[in-house]
Amino acid sequence: MRFVLATQNPKKREELASILSDLGVEIVTEEDVGVHVEVEETGETFGENAALKAKAVMEATGLPAIGDDSGLCVEALNGAPGVYSARYGGPELDDAGRCRLLLEMMRGQTDRSAHFETYIVCAFPNGDWFAAKGECKGSIAFAPMGTNGFGYDPIFFRTESQKTFAQMNAEEKAAISHRGNALRSFRDKLAKYIAEHPEAQGKWN
């Protein structure tokens, strides 16, 4: 069974293919099947945006499709930047600029609690679908620390590890991250779906 990942990013494909390797499924990108689907992320939640991506790519390809959406939610900012995490502050800002803006918005705040959240949605041409969620709780550091990762990783601090995400190596981060948690939950749900729908193995190749 073949699944199209709603992304142009081959690293995401490799990541998902690795965690699903024992299920006997093939993960391809939009580019692999010759489509490029622009999806306007109009959802008010990560789950809604992930579903929009999965459904659009499924309809464009006729294959099961997987969409995901992630972001950072800060308690003192009423959950911002949330679904706007990747475009917080406008398109002119890069990752470092968005981190600086967030730190400026947090100036004087005593509650620095925050969490990362990921939703992964799988949509099938027959109308079936399921979703998986992952979270990772932490706090906003007072200054960027570390050079690994991307996005808000330099300012997302984990008390248990006494490190920001950007101070962790890939293995450390994957073991506790919102995305790692969501991927593991997704794998379990897909395994259950395949076990309950043996006829699906012969479809959508």
Side-chain angles (χ1 to χ4, degrees):
M1 183 162 39
R2 187 158 52 151
F3 293 81
V4 184
L5 187 57
T7 185
Q8 304 294 325
N9 187 340
K11 290 185 178 180
K12 280 192 173 185
R13 189 207 70 80
E14 292 167 11
E15 176 186 52
L16 188 59
S18 175
I19 203 165
L20 301 180
S21 60
D22 63 329
L23 298 184
V25 300
E26 180 185 4
I27 305 297
V28 298
T29 64
E30 294 176 40
E31 183 179 6
D32 292 331
V33 293
V35 301
H36 180 81
V37 182
E38 292 287 348
V39 180
E40 189 175 356
E41 297 182 21
T42 56
E44 295 183 2
T45 66
F46 300 115
E48 289 176 3
N49 281 336
L52 287 171
K53 296 174 190 177
K55 184 179 179 182
V57 172
M58 179 271 291
E59 291 176 345
T61 63
L63 292 168
I66 301 166
D68 71 281
D69 197 34
S70 303
L72 176 66
C73 303
V74 181
E75 296 299 327
L77 302 180
N78 297 315
V83 294
Y84 302 104
S85 292
R87 48 195 189 275
Y88 189 53
E92 68 278 3
L93 291 185
D94 58 8
D95 284 353
R98 281 184 281 275
C99 285
R100 286 193 297 270
L101 174 61
L102 187 57
L103 290 176
E104 180 65 27
M105 297 295 290
M106 288 295 290
R107 184 175 293 180
Q109 295 286 353
T110 54
D111 180 3
R112 303 188 73 85
S113 57
H115 70 274
F116 270 117
E117 193 170 311
T118 291
Y119 265 87
I120 303 175
V121 173
C122 186
F124 294 85
N126 64 359
D128 290 347
W129 70 279
F130 63 84
K133 177 185 177 182
E135 282 191 2
C136 183
K137 294 183 178 180
S139 61
I140 302 301
F142 288 91
M145 294 182 287
T147 58
N148 297 328
F150 59 92
Y152 300 97
D153 285 0
I155 61 173
F156 185 75
F157 186 78
R158 286 275 296 177
T159 302
E160 296 86 346
S161 309
Q162 287 295 296
K163 293 179 181 180
T164 66
F165 268 1
Q167 291 175 304
M168 299 179 185
N169 61 39
E171 290 74 21
E172 285 179 290
K173 180 181 172 183
I176 61 169
S177 75
H178 52 301
R179 185 165 179 81
N181 292 333
L183 285 168
R184 286 183 285 274
S185 175
F186 180 82
R187 185 223 169 271
D188 291 345
K189 290 189 175 187
L190 180 57
K192 181 179 179 182
Y193 181 88
I194 290 173
E196 293 177 349
H197 300 81
E199 76 284 355
Q201 288 286 38
K203 293 182 179 180
W204 309 312
N205 292 315

